Amino acid sequence: MADTLLLRALKGKPKQLNLCNKKLDRVPKIIGKIDCLVQLQLKNNKLQNLPQEFETLYQLEVLNLGNNEFEVLPEVLQSARNLDKLHLFNNQLTTLTPQALSGLVNLTLLNLNGNKLKTLPPEICRLSSLQHLSLDNNLLTELPIEFCALTKLQELHAAGNRLTSLPLEFGFLNGLEKLHLQKNQIRELPESLSKCYRLRVIDIAANELRIFPTEFAALPLKEIHCEENPLLQHIPVHSVQEEEVLSLKEICARYIMRELKDRVSPQVYAYLRRAIRHYPEIRDMLSQASKCAVCGESFLNTWLECVKFISAKQDLKVGNLHGLMPIRALLCSYKCFNAKGHEFYGVAFP
């Protein structure tokens, strides 16, 4: 039946071809003769692979392979350099073949919902034009660092996986507008999330989140979904403070950062600048420093992790959420913690 349909199509030189619901277990090789195709629909069949003749479909822009039986991404797709949208939802994919990814440089939409992916290969970064990525209902436990090179990504769906965290470099996805991560096991969002300055919608519902990043309130959010998380509650309790003991490394780091900031001594400032240039490991270490939410001074390691509760409606200005949101705050010392005039609370664990 499929061969007959393709023979008829070959005479008409169509730009669109629909072969959905045909119970196909293979695509006839004659498909390679219809090199004028722009859109090809092959969903709801029994396909496990694509013929090598697929490589002649240079003009193909939309390919729908949803609801089939693919276990690996067909390598012949590396020839589809004009492909714009690729649907592979509800298949049996366990891996994404790096060779197949290498040619999909113009792909803007990739739908991989409902597969069996446990990881994404580092080569995912080759999809440099990707804007919309759907990974819902897979078996993902993490996203590779290379994933953060998808700087054109606008929308990410990764609900219903097994993610426990996001890459620390997640902020490089500064074109991101919608982020859907519901029904995972995420315990903490990266601090770099605040660099996603276009983020409008975030769905982090049904995870294991207790607190939001320090600059979370600076994001231009319109919608936040965070129900079914064990978020910290605004319930003050009495606590006993321990004596502060800073390591020598911490004392030296704070001194260096204070001198670089205040330039009290020109000689010391000049010396420190030269030393940092010659010792990259010092520069890298200091670049990881944090700023105290009270005094504004820099410190190397988190000394006191605190929380500030802000109004979702008044401070974040989102219309779909009410109540208080716990936002992380880092303080450099008990001296700052005990200072008057701030609204930071220590974090108590049961």
Side-chain angles (χ1 to χ4, degrees):
M1 180 190 295
D3 298 80
T4 303
L5 289 172
L6 291 179
L7 283 171
R8 292 175 182 173
L10 183 59
K11 296 178 181 179
K13 295 184 178 181
K15 291 188 176 182
Q16 301 182 22
L17 183 60
N18 189 335
L19 293 175
C20 300
N21 304 297
K22 302 298 183 184
K23 299 181 181 181
L24 299 178
D25 57 9
R26 65 176 182 85
V27 178
K29 295 182 179 181
I30 196 175
I31 190 73
K33 300 290 185 179
I34 315 177
D35 54 8
C36 52
L37 278 178
V38 175
Q39 295 189 28
L40 177 58
Q41 301 287 334
L42 286 165
K43 68 179 179 179
N44 302 333
N45 284 292
K46 300 180 180 181
L47 301 174
Q48 296 182 347
N49 210 334
L50 296 175
Q52 194 62 39
E53 285 73 13
F54 233 79
E55 64 184 9
T56 62
L57 304 182
Y58 301 115
Q59 299 186 51
L60 197 62
E61 296 179 5
V62 179
L63 176 60
N64 193 334
L65 299 172
N67 287 330
N68 277 283
E69 299 176 4
F70 289 94
E71 295 182 3
V72 295
L73 199 62
E75 290 190 17
V76 71
L77 289 178
Q78 66 183 311
S79 302
R81 294 190 172 271
N82 286 319
L83 200 61
D84 180 61
K85 296 178 175 63
L86 175 59
H87 298 274
L88 276 158
F89 55 87
N90 295 341
N91 275 274
Q92 305 293 321
L93 291 173
T94 59
T95 184
L96 299 182
T97 313
Q99 291 84 351
L101 295 176
S102 64
L104 301 177
V105 292
N106 290 308
L107 198 68
T108 65
L109 184 149
L110 178 58
N111 186 342
L112 295 167
N113 293 341
N115 280 282
K116 298 180 179 180
L117 296 170
K118 293 183 178 180
T119 61
L120 298 179
E123 291 79 8
I124 191 72
C125 64
R126 295 177 181 175
L127 306 182
S128 55
S129 299
L130 202 61
Q131 298 177 16
H132 302 269
L133 176 60
S134 290
L135 297 162
D136 291 346
N137 302 316
N138 277 274
L139 304 173
L140 295 171
T141 58
E142 63 179 1
L143 298 177
I145 294 176
E146 292 81 3
F147 178 85
C148 301
L150 301 176
T151 55
K152 293 185 179 180
L153 195 65
Q154 299 175 11
E155 193 166 335
L156 172 62
H157 294 257
N161 281 279
R162 300 175 182 177
L163 298 172
T164 58
S165 64
L166 299 177
L168 296 177
E169 298 81 4
F170 199 79
F172 284 106
L173 301 175
N174 53 26
L176 202 62
E177 298 178 4
K178 296 182 180 180
L179 178 59
H180 296 266
L181 297 168
Q182 63 270 30
K183 297 182 180 179
N184 277 281
Q185 302 166 24
I186 298 173
R187 302 185 185 96
E188 187 174 359
L189 294 174
E191 288 292 323
S192 65
L193 184 68
S194 61
K195 297 179 181 177
C196 298
Y197 58 88
R198 296 180 181 175
L199 196 60
R200 300 290 187 272
V201 177
I202 180 169
D203 191 340
I204 193 72
N207 275 273
E208 299 177 13
L209 203 63
R210 294 177 57 84
I211 195 169
F212 290 93
T214 54
E215 301 296 327
F216 189 75
L219 292 172
L221 295 170
K222 300 298 182 184
E223 289 184 32
I224 303 174
H225 301 273
C226 58
E227 58 273 15
E228 297 185 48
N229 276 282
L231 295 175
L232 292 174
Q233 301 297 309
H234 186 204
I235 307 175
V237 297
H238 178 72
S239 65
V240 178
Q241 296 180 2
E242 299 179 356
E243 183 179 355
E244 293 180 343
V245 179
L246 297 178
S247 67
L248 180 60
K249 178 181 179 181
E250 181 69 27
I251 293 173
C252 293
R254 293 189 182 193
Y255 171 78
I256 291 173
M257 290 184 288
R258 193 181 308 114
E259 285 290 333
L260 291 174
K261 175 186 174 184
D262 299 337
R263 302 190 187 189
V264 175
S265 170
Q267 294 82 6
V268 174
Y269 174 78
Y271 174 78
L272 291 175
R273 294 285 292 179
R274 288 197 300 272
I276 290 174
R277 281 199 302 269
H278 286 88
Y279 295 95
E281 60 272 18
I282 296 179
R283 182 182 64 246
D284 295 340
M285 180 181 66
L286 296 181
S287 68
Q288 303 300 317
S290 302
K291 284 190 176 182
C292 177
V294 174
C295 70
E297 294 294 333
S298 299
F299 58 94
L300 193 59
N301 297 315
T302 301
W303 184 244
L304 283 176
E305 183 177 26
C306 297
V307 60
K308 181 178 181 180
F309 293 93
I310 66 173
S311 169
K313 186 174 182 180
Q314 296 178 3
D315 298 314
L316 293 179
K317 295 180 174 59
V318 292
N320 72 304
L321 188 65
H322 300 278
L324 298 177
M325 301 275 293
I327 305 296
R328 178 183 289 108
L330 306 179
L331 274 62
C332 69
S333 65
Y334 279 119
K335 178 181 178 181
C336 286
F337 181 69
N338 293 324
K340 296 181 180 180
H342 67 73
E343 299 178 345
F344 302 115
Y345 296 85
V347 178
F349 296 96

